[in-house]
Amino acid sequence: DAKTTQPTSMDCAEGRAANLPCNHSTISGNEYVYWYRQIHSQGPQYIIHGLKNNETNEMASLIITEDRKSSTLILPHATLRDTAVYYCIVRVGMNRDDKIIFGKGTRLHILP
Amino acid sequence: DTAVSQTPKYLVTQMGNDKSIKCEQNLGHDTMYWYKQDSKKFLKIMFSYNNKELIINETVPNRFSPKSPDKAHLNLHINSLELGDSAVYFCASSLADEQFFGPGTRLTVL
């Protein structure tokens, strides 16, 4: 079972920041928070991951609370192409035996 | 060039048939995976291989048999297809943290 909980769906206006929350209250000390997204009919796409520090890349920013029990993925200037299902995942990472367990994710609708 | 490719993109077949889905990655990754996404959109891992060695084998019927002829290829063979096998199957590969997914193969069993 997935170790994360996310809202089922969210709306965001085009050009605004999309903030997607994720709860992972049972996260272990050696587990990372990963985000993937799946645009309709395509394979999932990696977005970002982090352990305890905030992370930023060309796609998004990841804010992890100090107690690591929740995080927020931020898409700074959402476009229509960001409409997708976003999955928050916790896993040990860098371990070939560790598998990604996808939950139900958050369906993000970017509104024109 | 496509990083992770799958063939065919669509596969329609009758119950009881045997079919294969092919996957190739040109990223030089050591690990490859097969995932199944059912009609409810749940995405679940089926198998993973590392350098042609089976690493993860989830509770999948033994009608499903992955084959890795080399570390760039991981094919999925399915015997005696059933209606419940209808789904989208995704292949993926990884070197470290990030998994790269293929475009998916939509299998429809009639």
Side-chain angles (χ1 to χ4, degrees):
Chain A
D1 291 337
K3 297 176 66 174
T4 62
T5 54
Q6 301 176 248
T8 302
S9 66
M10 293 181 63
D11 292 338
C12 179
E14 189 178 17
R16 305 296 292 267
N19 297 279
L20 291 92
C22 179
N23 287 321
H24 32 79
S25 57
T26 61
I27 191 169
S28 301
N30 63 346
E31 287 182 316
Y32 289 73
V33 180
Y34 283 75
W35 284 83
Y36 281 75
R37 73 179 182 184
Q38 187 173 22
I39 296 171
H40 180 62
S41 297
Q42 297 182 21
Q45 176 190 23
Y46 166 85
I47 301 173
I48 200 168
H49 76 282
L51 183 62
K52 53 184 177 181
N53 297 323
N54 297 338
E55 302 286 345
T56 296
N57 63 20
E58 65 278 3
M59 287 183 68
S61 294
L62 174 60
I63 308 298
I64 303 174
T65 58
E66 194 168 340
D67 63 8
R68 302 208 326 120
K69 293 185 177 181
S70 65
S71 61
T72 301
L73 178 74
I74 302 172
L75 308 178
H77 304 287
T79 70
L80 296 178
R81 289 176 295 179
D82 292 322
T83 292
V85 177
Y86 287 76
Y87 297 99
C88 172
I89 297 154
V90 296
R91 61 184 290 240
V92 173
M94 299 292 288
N95 182 341
R96 69 178 197 174
D97 296 335
D98 191 56
K99 55 198 177 202
I100 293 180
I101 299 177
F102 287 86
K104 298 181 181 179
T106 295
R107 185 170 296 276
L108 177 65
H109 295 102
I110 305 300
L111 307 175
Chain B
D1 286 342
T2 304
V4 182
S5 59
Q6 297 179 226
T7 54
K9 188 171 176 62
Y10 299 96
L11 184 55
V12 181
T13 187
Q14 299 285 334
M15 282 176 54
N17 284 350
D18 303 338
K19 292 293 179 184
S20 292
I21 306 172
K22 295 185 177 181
C23 177
E24 176 181 4
Q25 54 96 2
N26 61 5
L27 300 166
H29 290 168
D30 292 332
T31 307
M32 296 185 71
Y33 310 80
W34 276 109
Y35 288 83
K36 177 181 179 182
Q37 188 166 40
D38 59 24
S39 58
K40 296 182 178 179
K41 303 297 183 183
F42 287 114
L43 191 61
K44 295 183 179 179
I45 190 167
M46 300 173 69
F47 303 101
S48 78
Y49 270 72
N50 181 274
N51 278 320
K52 303 197 298 176
E53 177 188 357
L54 180 64
I55 301 300
I56 294 174
N57 184 352
E58 288 296 284
T59 308
V60 176
N62 57 16
R63 299 182 294 104
F64 291 78
S65 53
K67 286 185 170 53
S68 182
D70 54 62
K71 76 172 193 178
H73 295 84
L74 181 62
N75 303 323
L76 184 64
H77 188 75
I78 314 170
N79 290 328
S80 303
L81 279 155
E82 300 177 357
L83 293 177
D85 297 332
S86 294
V88 181
Y89 292 84
F90 290 99
C91 177
S93 72
S94 71
L95 184 62
D97 292 327
E98 179 181 349
Q99 289 194 13
F100 292 80
F101 285 79
T105 295
R106 182 174 294 276
L107 171 65
T108 303
V109 182
L110 303 175

